[in-house]
Amino acid sequence: DFIVFPEFPTKDLRKERERILRSPRILEENHMNNKSNIPLTLNAVVGNPILHSMSPFLHTPLYRSLGIDAVLLPFEVNNIGKFIAAIHTLPIHLTAVTMPFKQAVMRHLDRVSPQAKKIKAVNTIVNRNGVLTGYNTDVDGIRFAFRNCRLSGKNVLLIGAGGVSRAAAYVVSKNGGLLMYLNRTKRNALALQEDFGGELRAESELSSDRIDV
C-alpha cells in the first residue's frame, strides 16, 4: 500500500495530512483504538516508483518499539519541487529520498551538508523549524560495509552510476582506492569520473585478476 502524492493547492494539504494519518491502515499499523490519537510526527520516503520500498515496514515498527510517536509513509511523486513545498505545510519532519530524486531534490532545499554537496546527492531531508537540510547517509552505510576492507591502492569496480554510486565512489576515492566504472550509459559514468577520478571500463575489458573489490 502506498500514497500517490496529490497535486493539491497548498491550502488543502493540512486536510490531506489528517486524512492520511486517520486512514484505517495507519491506525491499524500503530495499534490505535482512538481515532483522535493520530501520530504526532509524519515522516516520509519519496520516490518514483515507490511500491517496492520496505522503509515503511522497517521504520514505523521501529518507532513504535522505541516509544516514538511517529509514522513513515511512502509518497510516489512526479514533481519533487511540489512535494518539497508541501513538507512545510503538512508538515513532514524527516524525508528519505530515493530514485530518481537524490540529485534533483538538492536545488529545492534551504541547506545541504558539505558531504552531500561533494557527493552531489541527498538521501535524507530534515525539517528543523521550517528549514530543510539535506544529508547523505548512504556514505555512512558504505563506510560501515567497507570497515574491514583495505581500499588504498586496490582496484575497485563500481557497477552502475545512480545516486548510491556517487556515495560509493566518494568513499573509495577518500580511502585511496582506484576506481573503475561499468555503466550502460557512458555519460553518467563520465560524470562520476569527473568528480571522483578513476577510469571507465567496457565489460569486454574486465578480468577478475584486475579487480580487487
Side-chain angles (χ1 to χ4, degrees):
D1 198 3
F2 69 107
I3 294 166
V4 176
F5 183 70
E7 300 293 337
F8 289 160
T10 303
K11 64 182 181 181
D12 293 331
L13 287 174
R14 290 191 185 278
K15 292 182 180 179
E16 178 64 7
R17 170 188 168 86
E18 184 171 343
R19 183 193 70 78
I20 291 168
L21 293 182
R22 291 183 184 275
S23 68
R25 179 173 65 87
I26 299 305
L27 294 171
E28 180 181 353
E29 283 184 0
N30 287 274
H31 303 289
M32 297 172 188
N33 297 318
N34 182 353
K35 289 191 176 182
S36 66
N37 183 25
I38 63 174
L40 177 66
T41 301
L42 172 60
N43 296 334
V45 54
V46 60
N48 192 342
I50 201 64
L51 186 60
H52 65 283
S53 177
M54 296 302 293
S55 294
F57 302 101
L58 298 172
H59 286 252
T60 299
L62 182 61
Y63 296 153
R64 191 160 57 238
S65 69
L66 295 173
I68 299 172
D69 187 17
V71 63
L72 185 137
L73 301 180
F75 287 80
E76 183 171 294
V77 309
N78 294 313
N79 187 317
I80 190 64
K82 289 184 178 180
F83 178 79
I84 295 302
I87 287 178
H88 295 282
T89 307
L90 284 171
I92 297 173
H93 295 270
L94 180 144
T95 302
V97 183
T98 188
M99 61 180 292
F101 299 121
K102 289 187 176 184
Q103 292 176 272
V105 75
M106 295 178 69
R107 66 178 179 270
H108 299 287
L109 304 178
D110 301 305
R111 299 174 182 169
V112 176
S113 74
Q115 183 170 262
K117 284 182 180 178
K118 290 179 181 178
I119 297 167
K120 298 182 181 178
V122 161
N123 76 328
T124 303
I125 302 167
V126 178
N127 180 358
R128 294 188 180 92
N129 300 316
V131 177
L132 305 185
T133 304
Y135 300 91
N136 192 302
T137 62
D138 288 330
V139 168
D140 302 304
I142 292 166
R143 280 182 181 142
F144 184 79
F146 282 136
R147 65 194 182 281
N148 296 320
C149 180
R150 181 176 176 271
L151 295 174
S152 180
K154 300 292 185 180
N155 293 318
V156 180
L157 176 63
L158 186 57
I159 302 175
V164 175
S165 69
R166 300 193 65 82
Y170 174 82
V171 171
V172 172
S173 64
K174 290 286 283 186
N175 285 275
L178 308 175
L179 282 159
M180 299 182 292
Y181 305 103
L182 177 64
N183 192 58
R184 290 175 297 180
T185 307
K186 186 177 180 180
R187 181 182 68 254
N188 295 341
L190 283 170
L192 287 172
Q193 182 188 40
E194 181 178 347
D195 290 336
F196 305 107
E199 300 178 353
L200 273 63
R201 289 283 185 266
E203 189 173 355
S204 59
E205 298 175 317
L206 299 175
S207 60
S208 58
D209 61 331
R210 296 181 60 191
I211 301 171
D212 299 309
V213 181

